């Protein structure tokens, strides 16, 4: 059975239900003969395998920023709830087409202000002072801008004032219609939507004080490698600072994720197995870096293979991409495990391209890899067909892409130098300066500035 056909792939379907089941055992299985997998195929396989597994809670809007909506949200109130003025001016009943030069009205006493409507019916031939956002008085359908009106007649014998319009107004001008933003019952936001600042404003306008949101996805994180030391620790020159963990922990710093730090794990099969077991027990998904390539000290693969023997599923996905390549995909007790390469640049790129969309889907959002924009390349690059390449680039002062000086997978400095990745297609050959390139800004890849 594929994970997608058990009826839980729709984020709205799981809303309010018991905690969703975990993934099917075979969801990361590759058909026989699949070797180096193109990135798009790996993404399609991930999309087919994953479904939301985070439960649902109801939060006040003030606490819901950045979370993922669990059910469609229908407007409880129309917005606006009545016709109202879009400008400061004078409201009146338009005499009709062809009569728009009739521009001299008796001024009705009083005014309509926001929160203080004018309660009577406005007789034909009269105009009423009205302020932006005030309810349109009964009988009026049009507002003329105050800059286009002149008052006169002040202090005449009857004490009456008149208002004259300098410019003709179209019937219905400067009137906001009730429900033009939302009618009662309209779906204001769909399940799976991120509660951005603007989405929260929209829900509030829809008369909704709280929202059903997905619980935070719990993600366990650890690094593997006997060579690793903590930042600042006095180590031998052959030892390597664990830079992946703070970087990945920060990448997991989204409001819809709760990261659980499992620290550093030595290159011992039992230690990696114990970390996987504990991670799967305490979290919805597990992310590890290092040890995924299948070498003799690559115990992620071995541990996942052992769990495969015990009934879990494990697969080493060799992905035709640079940087990156082998990524371990597995299930430990039904929890997805993402084994990232140890090289910091490869770990960073594989996280952004595969793991972040996967986590967002598990958390109840859409599986939506970042969409690139086209930018002109300012450099030549000897791309070889047959693998996808992601280059560290930035947009230069002339608006063209500049490339970092090296493709070295350990050069973290290039991740700081760059503001995004150039995404060179699987089949593409050499790139020439002046040609357009797909550019993924780090912001589009989900990294907040
Ligand atoms: P591995 O994927 O374990 O074979 O590691 C590949 C390279 O990445 C090696 O040079 C490791 O020392 C380095 N590496 C592995 N894990 C980390 C980490 N957490 N932080 C920084 N470098 C790492
Ligand atoms: Mg290693």
């Amino acid at each position: 059975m594929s994970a997608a056909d058990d009826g839980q792939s729709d984020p709205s379907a799981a809303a309010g239900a018991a905690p969703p089941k975990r993934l099917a055992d075979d969801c990361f299985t590759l058909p026989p003969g699949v070797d180096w997998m193109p990135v798009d195929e790996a993404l399609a396989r991930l999309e087919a395998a994953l479904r939301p597994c985070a439960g649902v809670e109801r939060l006040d809007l003030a606490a819901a920023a950045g979370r993922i909506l669990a059910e469609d949200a229908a407007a409880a109130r129309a917005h606006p709830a009545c016709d109202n003025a879009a400008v400061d001016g004078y409201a009146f009943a338009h005499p009709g087409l062809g009569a728009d030069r009739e521009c001299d009205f008796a001024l009705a006493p009083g005014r309509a202000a926001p929160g203080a409507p004018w309660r009577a019916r406005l007789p034909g031939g009269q105009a009423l002072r009205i302020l932006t956002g005030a309810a349109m008085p009964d009988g009026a359908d049009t507002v003329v801008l105050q800059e286009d009106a002149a008052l006169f007649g002040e202090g005449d014998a009857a004490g009456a004032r008149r208002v004259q319009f300098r410019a003709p107004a179209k019937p219905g001008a400067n009137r906001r219609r009730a429900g033009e933003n939302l009618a009662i019952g309209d779906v204001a936001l769909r399940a799976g939507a991120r509660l951005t600042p603007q989405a929260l404003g929209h829900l509030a306008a829809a008369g909704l004080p709280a929202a059903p949101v997905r619980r935070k996805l719990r993600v366990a994180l650890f690094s593997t490698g006997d060579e690793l030391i903590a930042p600042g620790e006095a180590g031998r020159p052959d030892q390597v600072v664990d830079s992946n963990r703070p970087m990945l922990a920060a990448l997991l710093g989204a409001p819809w994720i709760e990261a659980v730090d499992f620290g550093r794990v030595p290159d011992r099969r039992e230690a990696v197995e114990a970390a996987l077991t504990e991670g799967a027990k305490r979290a919805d998904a597990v992310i590890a870096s290092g040890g995924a390539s299948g070498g003799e000290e690559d115990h992620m693969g071995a541990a996942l293979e052992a769990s495969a023997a015990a009934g879990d599923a494990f697969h080493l996905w060799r992905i035709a991409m640079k940087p990156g390549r082998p990524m371990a995909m597995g299930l430990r007790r039904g929890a997805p495990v993402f084994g990232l390469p140890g090289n910091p640049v490869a770990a960073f790129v594989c996280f952004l391209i595969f793991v972040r969309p996967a986590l967002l889907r598990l958390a109840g959002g859409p599986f939506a890899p970042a969409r690139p924009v086209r930018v002109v390349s300012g450099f030549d690059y000897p791309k070889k067909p047959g693998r996808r390449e992601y280059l560290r680039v930035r947009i230069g002062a002339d608006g063209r892409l500049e490339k970092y000086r090296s493709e070295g997978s350990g050069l973290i400095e290039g991740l700081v130098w760059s503001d995004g990745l150039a995404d060179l297609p699987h089949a593409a050959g050499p790139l020439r300066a002046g040609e357009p390139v797909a550019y993924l800004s780090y912001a589009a890849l989900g990294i907040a500035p």
Side-chain angles (χ1 to χ4, degrees):
M1 186 184 76
S2 95
D5 63 22
D6 67 358
Q8 294 233 4
S9 58
D10 173 4
S12 61
K21 282 180 279 161
R22 292 197 160 187
L23 303 176
D25 289 345
D26 60 354
C27 70
F28 295 132
T29 312
L30 299 183
V34 169
D35 192 14
W36 288 96
M37 200 191 321
V39 168
D40 283 338
E41 188 184 331
L43 287 171
R45 286 182 181 282
L46 271 179
E47 179 171 20
L50 301 173
R51 57 180 163 70
C53 69
V56 177
E57 61 184 328
R58 197 172 165 77
L59 291 183
D60 289 348
L61 295 190
R67 300 290 284 271
I68 296 166
L69 192 66
E71 296 166 23
D72 290 356
R77 178 184 165 87
H79 186 264
C82 66
D83 286 10
N84 66 89
V87 296
D88 288 354
Y90 296 90
F92 63 102
H94 200 284
L97 288 171
D100 57 3
R101 295 223 160 257
E102 183 160 337
C103 58
D104 187 355
F105 290 81
L107 188 66
R111 64 171 200 174
W118 200 72
R119 307 239 174 241
R121 187 178 175 81
L122 188 66
Q126 290 195 13
L128 175 74
R129 173 77 175 139
I130 193 164
L131 302 181
T132 306
M136 292 290 286
D138 279 353
D141 57 16
T142 304
V143 179
V144 69
L145 207 60
Q146 69 185 18
E147 290 82 347
D148 293 336
L151 292 178
F152 68 98
E154 194 166 10
D156 70 4
R161 299 175 78 191
R162 302 192 68 76
V163 59
Q164 223 175 45
F165 303 156
R166 283 194 281 265
K170 289 204 180 96
N174 299 317
R175 172 183 50 161
R176 299 177 183 143
R177 292 287 204 159
E180 73 178 14
N181 185 43
L182 281 170
I184 291 182
D186 278 357
V187 175
L189 280 180
R190 295 265 172 217
R194 286 286 303 282
L195 295 183
T196 58
Q198 55 276 38
L200 291 168
H202 193 48
L203 290 182
L208 302 170
V213 299
R214 293 286 182 174
R215 289 184 188 282
K216 292 187 180 194
L217 187 78
R218 287 170 66 89
V219 181
L221 172 68
F222 62 89
S223 300
T224 71
D226 282 343
E227 75 279 29
L228 299 180
I229 56 173
E233 192 178 330
R236 300 186 313 268
D238 61 298
Q239 293 182 302
V240 174
V241 175
D242 178 4
S243 53
N244 285 351
R245 206 148 41 91
M247 179 178 73
L248 291 167
L251 286 168
L252 294 172
W256 45 275
I257 293 177
E258 184 185 337
V260 192
D261 189 347
F262 275 52
R264 291 197 309 275
V265 173
D267 280 326
R268 279 202 339 271
R269 160 111 166 251
E270 321 78 73
V272 172
E273 283 208 35
L276 287 174
T277 303
E278 194 57 21
K281 200 191 289 176
R282 288 179 40 201
D284 303 306
V286 181
I287 296 177
S289 79
S293 326
E296 60 201 62
E297 288 301 333
D298 287 337
H299 296 284
M300 270 297 291
L304 284 166
E305 248 159 25
S307 69
D312 279 343
F314 158 74
H315 302 281
L316 196 64
W317 283 13
R318 283 196 297 259
I319 301 172
M321 68 185 283
K322 186 183 164 194
R325 316 183 86 178
M327 255 188 74
M329 301 282 189
L331 285 181
R332 187 79 174 188
R333 301 184 170 186
V337 177
F338 301 94
L340 295 168
N343 273 311
V345 176
F348 180 80
V349 170
C350 286
F351 179 92
L352 293 178
I353 300 300
F354 298 108
V355 180
R356 191 175 186 281
L359 294 179
L360 188 57
R361 181 71 185 130
L362 291 168
F367 188 87
R371 286 220 303 267
V373 294
R374 311 294 290 177
V375 180
V376 171
S377 173
F379 59 89
D380 295 330
Y381 181 73
K383 164 85 174 53
K384 291 197 194 82
R387 69 176 181 210
R388 188 94 157 239
E389 291 205 33
Y390 295 94
L391 306 177
R392 282 150 279 178
V393 294
R394 68 183 182 195
I395 298 185
D398 61 357
R400 294 176 159 220
L401 283 186
E402 299 172 354
K403 188 179 76 64
Y404 184 58
R405 62 183 160 86
S406 162
E407 275 68 69
S409 184
L411 299 178
I412 310 176
E413 190 242 358
L415 296 177
V416 177
W417 177 94
S418 53
D419 56 22
L421 300 172
D423 175 355
L424 308 185
H426 185 90
L431 171 71
R432 305 251 170 270
E435 291 175 355
V437 188
Y439 164 74
L440 293 159
S441 70
Y442 290 144
L445 287 163
I447 299 178

